[in-house]
C-alpha cells in the first residue's frame, strides 16, 4: 500500500534552519511552542498546551525574568496574543492525531529548548555561511533539538496526509526545558502520557558517527541539578576587610572542591559547576554567591553519594568564611532499561532509513536526558519505551559553539520515525 | 559683618534623605546630576556639566547597560529631556559662582555615586524607620556621598545668599563615579580645576568617632582597579567533559590566589576580588569568566608590585586550565601630601563648627579616594589642596548594608565648609 | 594418581601471619625476599634474585633512604649477610623448579611489598586479637600481598613434594614494588619470563564476595605515576613576604586542580595526589614542594590525556606563583586482554577449589596492577597469561587501616594454583 | 682610665665563621651551647644552663627527633658527655660575671638557633668562597644569629679581661629557639632575668643599611605560631576513591584560605603557612595532613583576630572533606615599648662605634622577635629593656639562601655592647 509523501528533505532543512535561528532557553520557548501549535493545528491535530500538559506543581528551575523576556520576544516576533493566552506563561505542546480506528497509542517526543552558548562567529560555520545562525545572543541550538523539532513537525505533516490509512492514535510531544532535565517531570505528572502503549524518544549526534544508528543506548546517568546560594557580609574592602564574610571566596573554594569530587569505585560519575556569580562591587567584600551545579552517577546510589558529598563540601566552604549556604534542587533525571520489543522495532525501522548503513544495539550514553523520566512513566502505566540515537559526523561536540550536525540526518531520522508509525499504526 | 543663614539643619537632612532614597551607580547618576543642576541654577550658579567637565577620553569603567538604565530611570522619575540633552550620556556637574570681585578661586568637591549594596531591611535601620531607604534595589548610599552632596547643595544656597559679601570665585564640583576611582581622572583632564587656588575635599565617617575632625589624613592608598577576562572552551559536561577548557575553574583559582597576594614588607597593601561571574549554563563546561579586582598599596611601588603579581597569578591560573586571560585597567588612584596652609585652614574652621570637640592632625586613611587625583592636579597647576574627615558614630562600617551616619554631622560639615569659604572669600 | 599433600591450612595461615607482622615498602622487601629465598632453597628450587631478575636500568621510584632502612631492619631481624650480598640492594626473587621431563613452562606471580598505611589499633581487628599485627610503624599489608606470598610459598612446598610426578618447569615469581606499579617493568626487562608458556597472576579480595572467583577481570586501568617538584624562592615571611616565590601555594593549588581533572567521555578515569610535602619552616616562605600523583584511564589514550592535563595544571600552578615545576615518571601500568585458554583453565581449577561456589567470567577491576606488564610480555614472547580474583568478605577495603581478608581464602587460592599446576604439568 | 682590648676583629670574624659552619635548629643547639659554655667558663664566668635557665613546663615546639639528632651530631662533633649531661636534653646558656663590687645588673641576649634553609651553592656567596658554609644540610644561619653569638662571646672575653675595672653584674644570655618564638617564654619563666636592671637585645641587618643603627624599633608584631593537624580516612585511590576522607585536600584548601586571610583595617598583619605535609602514599587517599602556620598582627587584638579566623578556616576546610582538625599553639611573641633611658644609652653608645655614621631613633620592625617577651618580663620586675638594630648591607634578605651580612658589623656591634657595659658598670 502506498503512502503519500508530502515531506521533502528541503522542507525539513528549511524548518530546522528557521528553528535554529531563534533558540530559546527552557520554560521560555514561546516562539517555538507557537510555531509548533500553529503547524499542528494546520495539520489537523488536536493540540493541548501549557498547563494542559504541564503539571505546574512540578516545575523546577523556571526563571521569571527569562519567561518575561521570552514573552516579550514572542510578541516582538509576532506571536499572537491568542496563543500566548493559551500557553499562559507555560511552554510545552502535545499534538494528538486520533484516526478513529482501533489501534495502539504511540508517542514521539522531542525537546523545545536550547543551550546558553554563544554561537561561533567563524565564517566557515554553516549556520553563518547559510545565514541561519542564532539571532538570540547568548543562546544557541547546540544540542540538536532544532533538528528533532523539524523532524517531528514533518512527521505531523506526513501523519495528516496519510491519516486515512492509519489506525490508533499518535501523540507528538514537544517537551520544554530538557536542558537541566526540568521539563519531563511536570509533563509526566500531567498524566498526558499515561495512555500510551509506546513512547519513542530520539537524539541526533551523541558522538555516534554518521550512517550509524543505535537502538538502545545504555548508561543514561542519573543526575541531580542543584543550586547553591552563599550568604556572607559585605564590608569596605579597603577600610575594613576583616569585617566582611566573603561569599566569593566561599563560592570559589566550593567550585574547586566540587569539581574535585572523587570518582566512584562502582561506576561512572560526572560533576559540573556550570555557573558561578559572586559579589556586588569591586571594592566591597562579596556578600553573596550563587552556583549552578550538576552531579551524575551511573546508578541512583552513586548519584546520591555525589550529591551528598557536594552539599558537604559547599557547606564546609561556607563555614570556612563565616558564610551560610543553602541549596535548592532544580532538576533530576534517572536511568532506565529499554523494552526489547521497542528496541527491535527501532532496529527494523533504522534498516529501512536512508543513509543508515549500520545499526548498533547499544552504546554508553554517558549523559542524562529526562526522556528517561517519561519512558519510566510509560513503563509504569503499562506501556513500553525506547530511545534511539541517529549518529552524525559533528563539527564540534554537543554544547560547543561550533556544534553542527549533517542536515541529511533529518531525512534519516524522519525515515525511522515514519517507519515506526507505519509499524504500529499502518494498514 | 553678619552673613545671611538661609540653610537650616532640617533642609540639609531632608535633602540628604531625598538623595539617599534614589542612589545611582557611577556614570549613571542622571537623577542626582539633574537635581544638582537645577538647584545650582536656582541659586544663580553658572553650571557646566557632562562633556564640559569630563574629558571623555579618560572615562573608564562606564557600563553601557547601566548608563541606559540610568537614563530610563531618570525619564521615569521626571528628569527633563533638556537636562538629559545637556548631559548627553555623561554625568558630572560643576557649579561656578563668580563674585566679580578679585579674590582667590576656591573649589569644593563631592561625589555623586553610590555603591552596589542592597540596603538592610532591618526595621531599626533609620532610613527604614523614617521611610527614606533606597528605592533602587541593589544600590545604596552606603558611603556617605548623599551627605556630602546635601552639604554642598546647602553651601550653594548659602553662597548665593551671601554673594554680595564675598570676593573671588567658588567652584562646587560634583564628581561622578568615585567608587572604583574612575571619575576624578577624566574630570581633572577636562582642565576645569586648573585655575583653582584651593581645593577642599571631605568625607563623613571613615571610622573617626563623632565630634572629631581630622585635618590631614595620611596613607591614602594607591590603587589599581583591574578587570580580568578568562576565555576557555565550552563542551557538554556529561558527554565530553575532557574537551572543555574551564574558565570557571580558572576564575575560581585566580580568586583564591589573588586574595592570597602576599603582604609587603615596606607598607600596607589591600586586595579584593569583588565580583566574579563565570559560566554559561549548568551542563556546559564554562567557557568565560570575568572578575573585578582592586589592589592597593601604601606607595606607588607597592601598588605596582601588587598589580604585577596579580596579573601573574591570573595568567597562571588561566594557563592551568588551557584558558586565556586578558586584563583591562578600570581605574587608578594615588597618594598625596596635603598642603600645610590648607591643613591649618581646616583645623581653624573645624574649631568653629557645631558639635566638633576635637581636631586631630592626622589618621591613617587606609583606603583610596580619587580626590587625590584632583588634589595632585591642583597642586601641579600651582594651587593647594587638602582633605578633611568629619567623624561620625556609625551604625555599621562603610559599604555595609546597615551603614548610617549621624545626621547632625551634616550641620557640622556645612559649618566647616562655610567657615572655609569665609576664610578665603569673606569680606 | 595421588599427589602428596604436605601443605596444611594451618601452615598457610601461620606463614601469612608471619609475613603480615613485618610489612616492607617496595624495593625494601629484604626480610620478605630472604624468607622466600630460604624457603625456596629448602624446597630444592633453583633461586635467582636481585639483579639476576631485575633489570636495574628500569627501576623507578626506589628511595635510597628506604632501601638503607630496609637493610638495617633486615640485619636487626637476623637476615644473613650472605643473602643480603646476593640481593646486593635489589629485591625480587624467582624460584625455578625444573622437573627434567619435557613439558610446558608455567609461571605464577605474587608481590612482596606492602602499603604505607598504619594498621588500626582496634582490638577487634584480628591481627591485633591474634597478635600478628604490623610491627613496622606506618606500614601494613593492607592489600593482601601477605596472603599471596604465603600461598606461593605453600605451592613451592607442594611442588617439591610432588616433583617426581610432574613434567615441565614451574617458575614462582616474587615481584618487588607492585604498589606504585614499579616492579614489573624491570622484572620483565630482565627476560626472566620470556620462556614461559603460561603466566598466572592472582589477587585476593578486590570487592568480590567470599566464595566467588573471577576468571578474567576487565578494566585494568592504565596508569602513570608521576612526581612533581616545585621550586620557588624562600624569604622571611614577616619582613619580606613579597620577595618569596611560594612553592607551598603552587603545590596546594596544583593539588586542588589535579583532583579536579575532568572525567572523560570515553571511559573511566582516576586521579590521586597521594602525598604532598611543602616548605621548610614556619616563618619562611616555602621554596620547595613535592607531590606524588597517579592518574589512570580505561585506555591508554585516556590515561595519556589525564597525564598531559595533569602536567599542564601543575606547570600553570607553578607559573602563578613564580615557581618552576619539574616532573618525573615513577611507574606505569597498562591494560591487557586475558587469553581464552588461560581463562578456561582458571574456571576449571576454581570449580575444584574448596569454598568456591561461584565462578564469574568477569568483573570491572577498576584499578591497576602491573601484573599486566608481565602478562603482556609473556603474550609478546609467545605465551599466554591471565589474572584471577579470589573473592573474600573484607573487614574494610584495600589500603584501609582495618583491611583484613578471610584466612580460609588462602586454602581456596592454594587449591586453584595447585589445580593449575596439575593441569599443565601433572602426570 | 684605659681598658684592655683583647678582642680583635679577626677573632670575631673567625668565631662567627665557626658558628656559621654548623647551624642548629631550635632546641637542638647542643654544639652551639657547648661552645658557649666552654668559652664562658674559660673566661671565668659562672655558667647556668639547661633546666637551670629554662622552665621546662613552658617549652613549646620542641621536636624529639630533632633533639635526638642534635645530640647525635654533638657527640659526633666531639662535645663532651659531661656538658651533655649538664644540658640534659635542654639547650640555653646564661653566663654570669659578678664583679663583687656594688653596681647595676645588666643583661645582654642573643640567640643560639638557625633557620631550616638550605644555603646557596653559588660560588660567589662568601661562605662558599671562604669555606665556612653550612655543613648541616637543610639548615643555615640565615638570620644573623651566628654574628650575635660571636659578638657576645667576644664581650665575655672583654669582660673577663677588664673584670677588675668594672662593678655590678653582667649576665650574658644565649637563648635557644628564637625562630618560632619558642625559647623566650620558658627562659623568662625560669626567673633568671628577674634581678636585671637593664636588658639589651640586638639584631644585625633587618633591612637597615650599613653604617646606620636604630635605637628603638617599633612595630614588633604580635604573633601566634600554630600547628594544624587534619585527620581523614584512607582508602584505595583506584578501587574506592569515594570512601576516603581526603586530608590532603583539606590541608591544601586550608593553605590557600589561610594565605588569603584578610588584611586588617586597624593595622599590619602577616600570615604564613610555612610547612605542609599530607598523605601516606601515591595510591592511597590521604588520611593525614599537618601544617605549620604563623599569624602576626600589629596589636594583640589584630593578632587574635587573625588567629581566630585561621582556626575557623582550617576547621571549615576539614569539614568540607569529612575530616577533623586539631590545632596546637607552638609559640607566641608580643609587642613592647622600649624604655627611654635605654634608648638614649643605645644612641650614645652607637655614636662611639666604628663604622656607625647615622643613628635613627626608630624603624618599623614589621617582624617578631621573642626578645619582647624577655624585655616585658624585665620591665615587669622593675628593670628596663631595649632593642637595637645594627644595619648592614645584605646580599639577600633574612631567611634567604644567599643571606649574608658584612662582617665588619661584628666589630660595630661589639663596640656598642662594650660601650653599654662601660656606661653601666665602668669605673
Amino acid at each position: 500500500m502506498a503512502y503519500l509523501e508530502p515531506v521533502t528533505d528541503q522542507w525539513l532543512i528549511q524548518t530546522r534552519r528557521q528553528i535554529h535561528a531563534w533558540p530559546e532557553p527552557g520554560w521560555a520557548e514561546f516562539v517555538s511552542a507557537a510555531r509548533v501549535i500553529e503547524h499542528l493545528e494546520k495539520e489537523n491535530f488536536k493540540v493541548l498546551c501549557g498547563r494542559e500538559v504541564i503539571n505546574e506543581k512540578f516545575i523546577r528551575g523556571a526563571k521569571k525574568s527569562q519567561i518575561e523576556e521570552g514573552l516579550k520576544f514572542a510578541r516582538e516576533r509576532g506571536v499572537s496574543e491568542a496563543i500566548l493566552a493559551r500557553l499562559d506563561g507555560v511552554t510545552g505542546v502535545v499534538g494528538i492525531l486520533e484516526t478513529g480506528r482501533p489501534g495502539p497509542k504511540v508517542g514521539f517526543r522531542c525537546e523545545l529548548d536550547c543551550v546558553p552558548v554563544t554561537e561561533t562567529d567563524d565564517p566557515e560555520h554553516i549556520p553563518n555561511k547559510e545565514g541561519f545562525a542564532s539571532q538570540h545572543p547568548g543562546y544557541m541550538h547546540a544540542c540538536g533539538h532544532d533538528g528533532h523539532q523539524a523532524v517531528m513537525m514533518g512527521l505531523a505533516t506526513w501523519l495528516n496526509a496519510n491519516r486515512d490509512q492509519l489506525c490508533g492514535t499518535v501523540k507528538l510531544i514537544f517537551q520544554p526545558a530538557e536542558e537541566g532535565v526540568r521539563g519531563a517531570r511536570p509533563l509526566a505528572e500531567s498524566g498526558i502520557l499515561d495512555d500510551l502503549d509506546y513512547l519513542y524518544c530520539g537524539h541526533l549526534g551523541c558522538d555516534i558517527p554518521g550512517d550509524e544508528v543505535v537502538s538502545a543506548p545504555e548508561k543514561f546517568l542519573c543526575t541531580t541539578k542543584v543550586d547553591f546560594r552563599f550568604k556572607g557580609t559585605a564590608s569596605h574592602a579597603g577600610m575594613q576587610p576583616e569585617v566582611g564574610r566573603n561569599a566569593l571566596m566561599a563560592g570559589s573554594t566550593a567550585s574547586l572542591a566540587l569539581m574535585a569530587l572523587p570518582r566512584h569505585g562502582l561506576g561512572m560519575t560526572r560533576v559540573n559547576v556550570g555557573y558561578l556569580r559572586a559579589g556586588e562591587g569591586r571594592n566591597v567584600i562579596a556578600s553573596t554567591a550563587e552556583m549552578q551545579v550538576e552531579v551524575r552517577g551511573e546508578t541512583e546510589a552513586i548519584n546520591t553519594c555525589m550529591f551528598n558529598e557536594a552539599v558537604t563540601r559547599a557547606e564546609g566552604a561556607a563555614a570556612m568564611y563565616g558564610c551560610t549556604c543553602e541549596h535548592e534542587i532544580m532538576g533530576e533525571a534517572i536511568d532506565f532499561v529499554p523494552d526489547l520489543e521497542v528496541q527491535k522495532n527501532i532496529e527494523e525501522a533504522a534498516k529501512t532509513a536512508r543513509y543508515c548503513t549500520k545499526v548498533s544495539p547499544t552504546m554508553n550514553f554517558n549523559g542524562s536526558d529526562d526522556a528517561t523520566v517519561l519512558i519510566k512513566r510509560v513503563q509504569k502505566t503499562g506501556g513500553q519505551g525506547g530511545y534511539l540515537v541517529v549518529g552524525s559526523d559533528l563539527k564540534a561536540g554537543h554544547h560547543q559553539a561550533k556544534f553542527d550536525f549533517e542536515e541529511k540526518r533529518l531525512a534519516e531520522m524522519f525515515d525511522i520515525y515514519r517507519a515506526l508509525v507505519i509499524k504500529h499504526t499502518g494498514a
Side-chain angles (χ1 to χ4, degrees), chain A:
Chain A
M1 188 161 187
Y3 293 96
L4 297 172
E5 299 297 348
V7 183
T8 65
D9 290 9
Q10 207 42 44
W11 188 90
L12 290 171
I13 289 172
Q14 285 316 320
T15 303
R16 178 258 168 161
R17 291 184 175 191
Q18 188 188 357
I19 299 167
H20 188 89
W22 190 256
E24 295 170 300
W27 298 120
E29 313 96 329
F30 293 103
V31 172
S32 307
R35 182 190 298 112
V36 167
I37 291 170
E38 290 181 344
H39 180 72
L40 289 174
E41 298 195 332
K42 199 189 81 190
E43 302 296 355
N44 302 308
F45 273 65
K46 175 179 163 195
V47 173
L48 299 178
C49 67
R51 282 177 183 73
E52 293 166 334
V53 299
I54 295 293
N55 185 330
E56 200 175 10
K57 280 189 298 187
F58 294 86
I59 292 180
R60 276 175 166 171
K63 284 193 208 153
K64 220 175 176 172
S65 63
Q66 277 190 345
I67 292 173
E68 277 166 17
E69 206 178 57
L71 285 166
K72 201 189 79 178
F73 280 129
R75 289 190 170 95
E76 284 173 17
R77 301 180 79 82
V79 172
S80 80
E81 289 297 330
I83 284 184
L84 293 181
R86 282 167 70 185
L87 292 169
D88 192 18
V90 176
T91 52
V93 182
V94 175
I96 305 172
L97 180 139
E98 288 173 336
T99 62
R101 278 170 293 279
K105 293 188 161 136
V106 187
F108 292 85
R109 171 267 200 180
C110 69
E111 317 89 333
L112 288 172
D113 60 330
C114 73
V115 282
V117 164
T118 299
E119 193 153 10
T120 180
D121 56 5
D122 182 344
E124 291 306 303
H125 182 60
I126 293 172
N128 291 325
K129 238 180 179 164
E130 302 291 331
F132 65 93
S134 168
Q135 296 161 25
H136 192 169
Y139 296 97
M140 175 184 173
H141 269 299
C143 198
H145 298 180
D146 49 347
H148 306 166
Q149 287 177 52
V151 166
M152 278 189 33
M153 286 169 73
L155 193 61
T157 298
W158 188 92
L159 284 163
N160 187 38
N162 294 291
R163 171 187 295 258
D164 296 338
Q165 305 187 49
L166 304 174
C167 67
T169 300
V170 178
K171 288 192 181 178
L172 301 184
I173 298 144
F174 295 80
Q175 178 199 312
E178 189 279 325
E179 303 293 343
V181 291
R182 298 166 291 167
R185 186 79 195 282
L187 185 67
E189 296 288 345
S190 76
I192 192 75
L193 311 166
D194 292 359
D195 59 354
L196 288 182
D197 299 301
Y198 300 95
L199 175 62
Y200 291 95
C201 306
H203 214 294
L204 288 160
C206 305
D207 293 325
I208 298 300
D211 298 353
E212 182 174 341
V213 169
V214 181
S215 60
E218 297 184 317
K219 299 215 181 172
F220 279 84
L221 300 180
C222 293
T223 183
T224 303
K225 314 301 184 187
V226 56
D227 282 4
F228 290 100
R229 293 186 200 100
F230 298 88
K231 209 163 166 195
T233 309
S235 74
H236 191 290
M239 286 188 225
Q240 295 190 299
E242 80 282 5
V243 167
R245 294 292 165 256
N246 197 324
L248 186 147
M249 289 293 277
S252 294
T253 300
S255 293
L256 294 180
L258 290 180
M259 294 302 281
L261 278 176
R263 274 80 169 163
H264 200 289
L266 300 179
M268 192 157 298
T269 57
R270 290 286 185 277
V271 59
N272 193 43
V273 182
Y275 181 79
L276 170 63
R277 191 213 52 73
E280 294 80 40
R282 190 189 307 279
N283 62 347
V284 182
I285 300 296
S287 71
T288 60
E290 56 190 42
M291 276 165 58
Q292 295 176 12
V293 175
E294 61 174 18
V295 294
R296 305 183 202 228
E298 194 171 327
T299 64
E300 202 166 334
I302 296 174
N303 186 55
T304 301
C305 173
M306 291 288 286
F307 173 71
N308 289 340
E309 183 94 4
V311 172
T312 300
R313 292 190 172 198
E315 289 180 349
M320 285 178 74
Y321 300 97
C323 299
T324 60
C325 172
E326 289 179 354
H327 69 268
E328 185 182 352
I329 293 176
M330 303 304 281
E332 285 170 294
I334 50 180
D335 51 351
F336 87 107
V337 180
D339 292 288
L340 199 61
E341 182 193 331
V342 157
Q343 182 179 359
K344 290 294 161 216
N345 293 342
I346 292 168
E347 287 173 7
E348 207 174 277
K351 281 172 189 161
T352 70
R354 274 170 289 172
Y355 309 120
C356 174
T357 58
K358 179 177 176 190
V359 181
S360 301
T362 195
M363 65 178 280
N364 287 344
F365 194 78
N366 285 350
S368 305
D369 187 327
D370 62 7
T372 56
V373 172
L374 303 180
I375 294 169
K376 274 212 167 170
R377 174 83 176 207
V378 169
Q379 289 174 329
K380 218 167 151 186
T381 53
Q384 302 186 31
Y387 193 101
L388 66 107
V389 169
V390 177
S392 171
D393 297 331
L394 301 177
K395 297 295 182 185
H398 290 266
H399 292 201
Q400 294 186 41
K402 295 189 175 182
F403 173 83
D404 199 27
F405 59 82
E406 301 163 292
E407 287 185 320
K408 67 177 174 178
R409 302 302 159 200
L410 299 171
E412 185 178 354
M413 197 178 198
F414 176 82
D415 285 356
I416 298 173
Y417 281 14
R418 177 184 164 281
L420 287 167
V421 161
I422 293 171
K423 166 85 187 175
H424 287 298
T425 68

